[in-house]
Amino acid sequence: MSSNEISVMHTKRMDVEVEDCGLVYLLDRGDYGAADKSDESPAHSVGLVEVKQRGVVRLHIAPQWGLIPFTVAVADRDPGADLDGYEDIVEISFESPSGEVFMVGWLMDWDEKKAYNLSPLLAGPGTYRLRYHVRGMDEERHSLDDHYLQIWPAPQHDPAVLKSTSEPSGTF
């Protein structure tokens, strides 16, 4: 990026309520269920992140339940990984049919009040890259800044592990 180019990034911090299962979801506002065609958008995963179908992403967290602090940055380009600040960092491609996403913890009963709207994705509908930074997976803790998700427009690309220091488990 040259010195006269300005990068846009919207950051939101939230406490996502998780009732069980150690999962937080990133969901597209569009009708993601109608787009569940395996030839169009195959499920794929990389360690801590699973794209279940177009518009549906599962993010693994260490604790099984509780209020989980999350920071999400929606950017217009790759904001760069924080390799020194996190123990595990993975990337995966994600298709957003609507260009609008929200986060919700795994809940036994759907509650719209517990869904967290994120800033509109800056390139609208299309393909994005997700970079998920995590700390404390081996300790099942959840403290401020242990979960950091970055989202920016990017062409479809293979999943990647940028850093992995946690002990492998059956979840991944």
Side-chain angles (χ1 to χ4, degrees):
M1 176 167 56
S2 68
S3 60
N4 60 354
E5 289 183 63
I6 297 173
S7 181
V8 176
M9 186 163 58
H10 302 281
T11 303
K12 182 172 186 168
R13 287 186 170 81
M14 65 204 86
D15 289 329
V16 179
E17 184 174 348
V18 176
E19 290 180 0
D20 194 10
C21 294
L23 296 171
V24 171
Y25 288 86
L26 176 71
L27 300 172
D28 190 89
R29 281 273 173 218
D31 184 12
Y32 52 81
D36 185 20
K37 296 181 180 151
S38 59
D39 58 334
E40 257 183 60
S41 30
H44 53 288
S45 67
V46 59
L48 303 166
V49 180
E50 297 174 81
V51 175
K52 300 306 288 179
Q53 65 188 53
R54 191 168 94 171
V56 179
V57 178
R58 286 195 327 191
L59 303 165
H60 291 270
I61 58 174
Q64 292 297 302
W65 57 272
L67 286 176
I68 310 302
F70 252 89
T71 300
V72 179
V74 175
D76 65 345
R77 63 191 65 176
D78 183 347
D82 183 353
L83 295 171
D84 294 329
Y86 292 86
E87 297 164 351
D88 300 287
I89 305 171
V90 297
E91 288 185 7
I92 199 163
S93 293
F94 162 73
E95 188 176 345
S96 172
S98 73
E100 296 180 21
V101 292
F102 65 98
M103 290 188 78
V104 65
W106 192 93
L107 301 171
M108 293 176 203
D109 294 312
W110 177 256
D111 185 345
E112 183 71 29
K113 290 181 254 173
K114 294 180 181 176
Y116 297 89
N117 291 316
L118 300 177
S119 296
L121 301 178
L122 297 173
T127 304
Y128 287 82
R129 194 71 171 167
L130 305 178
R131 183 181 294 130
Y132 186 38
H133 300 70
V134 184
R135 270 193 301 251
M137 288 300 285
D138 291 336
E139 296 137 24
E140 288 198 36
R141 69 173 195 227
H142 51 95
S143 58
L144 190 61
D145 293 330
D146 281 348
H147 304 93
Y148 177 41
L149 180 66
Q150 298 171 320
I151 307 170
W152 72 95
Q156 184 74 26
H157 195 271
D158 291 337
V161 175
L162 302 185
K163 185 176 180 182
S164 178
T165 62
S166 295
E167 291 294 318
S169 74
T171 305
F172 309 111

